[in-house]
Amino acid sequence: MPSPTQRALARVPARLRPVLVKHRKLVKFLLVGSTCFVLTVVVNLSLKLTVLQHKPVVALTVATVIATAVSYVLNRQWSFRANGKQREAVLFFVVSAVAVLVNDVPLIVSRYVLDLRRPDVSAFTQEAADFLSGMVVGTLLAMVFRYWAMQRWVFVNLAETPAAPQERPARVPQA
């Protein structure tokens, strides 16, 4: 029985299949990221419209942390297919903690450096600036950082690392 990935690939135009297969790890990473992006938007807006109305950076941070936990499970089980190890989980959450900070920086700059908040701007401008800086720019920067860091340090497949150079056997002169 074909896997869900194989069934999805069967529906893709034949010209695109080799590209998707060649970059399957990136495609899976982007699909997981898209799912977690939607989750982050929903949680962030829910928090901003209710209990964290006056704390947009905290709302974004909480939403990002929740999506990070979901991302770990999906990336480990599907995108990178790594065996679960304590070291891997620790590295994932260290990289993700740095990525949360990377994600928050554009919102902090927008709100508190550029002062794009009420009463200096309209409520719509504030929310648009929050979304663009925190959810779009922040997420893009954090995504690039995460992908690079996950491949570099977290989900390292030993089969893909270059093997140590093997010694050549001494040549025996033929008589």
Side-chain angles (χ1 to χ4, degrees):
M1 179 169 196
S3 71
T5 305
Q6 291 168 333
R7 287 193 300 261
L9 278 174
R11 296 177 187 205
V12 172
R15 290 188 346 229
L16 293 177
R17 272 187 222 137
V19 173
L20 293 177
V21 169
K22 180 179 178 186
H23 301 291
R24 68 183 164 274
K25 193 180 290 188
L26 176 62
V27 171
K28 289 178 178 183
F29 180 81
L30 292 174
L31 288 172
V32 168
S34 299
T35 302
C36 291
F37 176 78
V38 170
L39 177 63
T40 305
V41 169
V42 169
V43 173
N44 182 44
L45 288 177
S46 299
L47 291 172
K48 278 183 66 174
L49 296 174
T50 58
V51 296
L52 294 174
Q53 285 180 329
H54 302 293
K55 298 187 183 255
V57 175
V58 174
L60 179 61
T61 301
V62 169
T64 305
V65 168
I66 290 169
T68 296
V70 172
S71 172
Y72 174 71
V73 172
L74 294 176
N75 276 313
R76 187 174 145 261
Q77 295 299 322
W78 189 53
S79 299
F80 295 100
R81 294 231 183 190
N83 295 326
K85 297 177 192 139
Q86 185 175 0
R87 179 180 174 273
E88 167 196 289
V90 169
L91 286 172
F92 181 91
F93 287 107
V94 167
V95 166
S96 294
V98 173
V100 167
L101 295 174
V102 169
N103 200 105
D104 286 349
V105 167
L107 178 59
I108 292 167
V109 169
S110 173
R111 271 282 178 125
Y112 304 111
V113 175
L114 300 177
D115 213 22
L116 294 175
R117 58 186 166 155
R118 289 187 288 177
D120 297 327
V121 297
S122 69
F124 176 78
T125 302
Q126 173 183 292
E127 294 308 314
D130 284 358
F131 183 80
L132 288 173
S133 62
M135 294 305 304
V136 176
V137 174
T139 300
L140 285 173
L141 292 173
M143 177 187 65
V144 169
F145 170 75
R146 272 190 184 107
Y147 185 74
W148 171 78
M150 295 299 171
Q151 280 207 290
R152 177 101 171 122
W153 293 306
V154 180
F155 297 112
V156 179
N157 187 348
L158 296 177
E160 292 178 0
T161 57
Q166 296 181 1
E167 292 183 32
R168 291 185 182 186
R171 288 180 95 178
V172 178
Q174 295 186 1

